[in-house]
Amino acid sequence: MRVFNFAAGPATLPLEVLEQVRSEMTDWRGGGMSVMEVSHRGKAFVAAAAEAEADLRRLLAVPANYKVLFLQGGATGQFAAIPLNLAAADSTVDYVNTGAWSKKAISEAKRYAKVNVAADEAASKYSTVPAAGSLALTAGAAYVHYTPNETIGGVEFPYIPATGGVPLVGDFSSTILSRPLDVAKFGLIYAGAQKNIGPAGLVVVIIREDLIGRARAATPSVWDYAQMAAADSMLNTPPTFGWYFAGLVFKWLLKQGGLEAIGAKNRAKAARLYGAIDASGFYANPVAKEARSWMNVPFTIPDAALEKTFLAEAAAAGLANLEGHRSVGGFRASIYNAMPMEGIDALIAFMKEFERRHG
Ligand SMILES: *Cc1c(COP(=O)(O)O)cnc(C)c1O
């Protein structure tokens, strides 16, 4: 039986896409073999890869002066690749700290450049984002990095920070493709695939062309944006299955009407779940209302001793992976694009029933 999977990542994938993958598993595009068994340099795969890129460009309306790269090493690999490609060793880079993923990006960047923390939301226990216009930016910084959606804390920027012309870098791992995005406001956008794009093993980088070609000599070739862009992301064997799968997810999104349509659905899903939490005196979400994530919804109950019971009963009801991140406890419902409204409704019904019995 398929369950509603609220995991933060790897996360639920669209059932329609999974079924298509199953139907093509042993004979992809009439070649008599699976997509995992064909050459990445063969005509069929090269065409599928180009189609995936074109569909992603269409979804996000990526301007012509941006390259789209399909890389490996996850978002964590990019934590290093970004300073290696965009900043000289003696330059300063600005980072905004809004929680767990910001912190990881900052500690990795510190190995490669001087990091100025332009804002730190510690005072609110990372339940807020900095006020627009409040960042303490460095004149001449190589770039400004922020985490638009903190997957663990469930904290999301309701605006795109202004940087006065300094390239803006965003870790969109848990929020890419959840609604329209003005790509032109960014120097670089990156996203690990395993939340809103497809299976783990692929990271998508969207980079403005003028930022390509500045990598330090010691940058690994597979993370050198210039080398990867020149090779259409096939300097070496790419993650072919992930790329193919991502392409099917892009088509699934286009078929639903693109990011305007999916954004409206996501807004409604989040509003319904936060509404249920706020209407109850039993459940609580700690995040400032204007900074609440559409994708990751943490919540707590008054008696932590009941958490195990909640999780066990939820799992028995077909609601999987609701435990909060090990660093914060409580619960977290990740409700990415592939989570249907029926999943939200089933979760809310379960929460109400649980409150009736234990509240
Ligand atoms: C999951 C996640 C990461 C880490 O991704 P990996 O692919 O495991 O390296 C980084 N940033 C954010 C915002 C994430 O949600």
Side-chain angles (χ1 to χ4, degrees):
M1 185 196 72
R2 190 162 168 82
V3 300
F4 291 117
N5 176 10
F6 294 93
T12 189
L13 293 166
L15 181 59
E16 260 179 79
V17 172
L18 289 168
E19 285 172 344
Q20 183 178 348
V21 169
R22 176 172 60 192
S23 77
E24 297 179 338
M25 187 56 81
T26 56
D27 182 7
W28 179 61
R29 294 194 172 179
M33 55 189 94
S34 79
V35 70
M36 290 175 280
E37 299 166 291
V38 304
S39 168
H40 58 292
R41 312 246 179 238
K43 229 180 173 166
F45 188 81
V46 169
E51 216 172 299
E53 182 185 333
D55 286 341
L56 177 60
R57 284 182 170 277
R58 223 174 109 202
L59 279 166
L60 278 169
V62 177
N65 63 325
Y66 285 71
K67 288 277 189 225
V68 176
L69 306 176
F70 292 82
L71 307 180
Q72 298 183 70
T76 304
Q78 293 306 307
F79 291 168
I82 288 160
L84 282 168
N85 276 270
L86 303 186
D90 61 352
S91 64
T92 299
V93 293
D94 284 339
Y95 276 69
V96 180
N97 186 359
T98 48
W101 286 113
S102 300
K103 286 179 194 168
K104 290 200 173 175
I106 288 168
S107 64
E108 190 71 354
K110 279 183 174 164
R111 304 176 62 197
Y112 302 106
K114 285 183 213 138
V115 174
N116 167 55
V117 177
D120 190 319
E121 298 302 285
S124 73
K125 298 204 176 93
Y126 300 99
S127 65
T128 51
V129 298
S134 71
L135 302 184
L137 299 175
T138 310
Y143 61 84
V144 179
H145 178 283
Y146 81 120
T147 309
N149 184 65
E150 286 282 357
T151 318
I152 293 172
V155 173
E156 178 163 352
F157 276 77
Y159 67 93
I160 296 174
T163 61
V166 174
L168 178 62
V169 175
D171 174 1
F172 277 84
S173 293
S174 50
T175 190
I176 195 161
L177 300 176
S178 64
R179 78 209 76 175
L181 179 66
D182 187 357
V183 174
K185 292 222 157 72
F186 292 85
L188 188 152
I189 286 167
Y190 65 107
Q194 69 273 22
K195 278 108 188 197
N196 230 352
I197 294 181
L202 173 72
V203 54
V204 172
V205 173
I206 303 173
I207 179 172
R208 215 173 61 209
E209 278 171 356
D210 62 286
L211 298 174
I212 297 176
R214 306 179 180 187
R216 295 182 208 173
T219 308
S221 297
V222 293
W223 284 340
D224 177 336
Y225 300 142
Q227 290 195 53
M228 272 304 204
D232 292 328
S233 304
M234 295 198 202
L235 187 73
N236 66 325
T237 315
T240 49
F241 180 75
W243 196 334
Y244 146 82
F245 197 114
L248 298 183
V249 170
F250 302 153
K251 288 202 187 301
W252 175 77
L253 292 172
L254 284 167
K255 207 170 76 184
Q256 290 177 71
L259 300 189
E260 288 285 351
I262 202 79
K265 283 183 197 167
N266 285 329
R267 177 195 290 277
K269 277 154 52 187
R272 196 173 292 186
L273 183 49
Y274 285 114
I277 291 169
D278 290 345
S280 112
F282 187 68
Y283 301 102
N285 167 276
V287 179
K289 281 204 167 118
E290 68 282 2
R292 283 173 162 182
S293 168
W294 288 15
M295 297 282 103
N296 310 97
V297 181
F299 58 96
T300 55
I301 53 177
D303 180 4
L306 274 176
E307 285 177 2
K308 277 205 168 81
T309 312
F310 180 99
L311 291 171
E313 291 184 3
L319 307 168
N321 294 320
L322 283 163
E323 60 273 30
H325 189 268
R326 58 187 185 277
S327 65
V328 293
F331 309 113
R332 173 178 49 168
S334 293
I335 53 174
Y336 300 114
N337 288 346
M339 175 60 64
M341 187 61 102
E342 294 74 56
I344 309 294
D345 288 338
L347 173 59
I348 292 172
F350 171 80
M351 288 166 71
K352 284 193 172 144
E353 172 59 18
F354 188 86
E355 177 180 355
R356 193 187 60 75
R357 283 185 288 113
H358 296 283

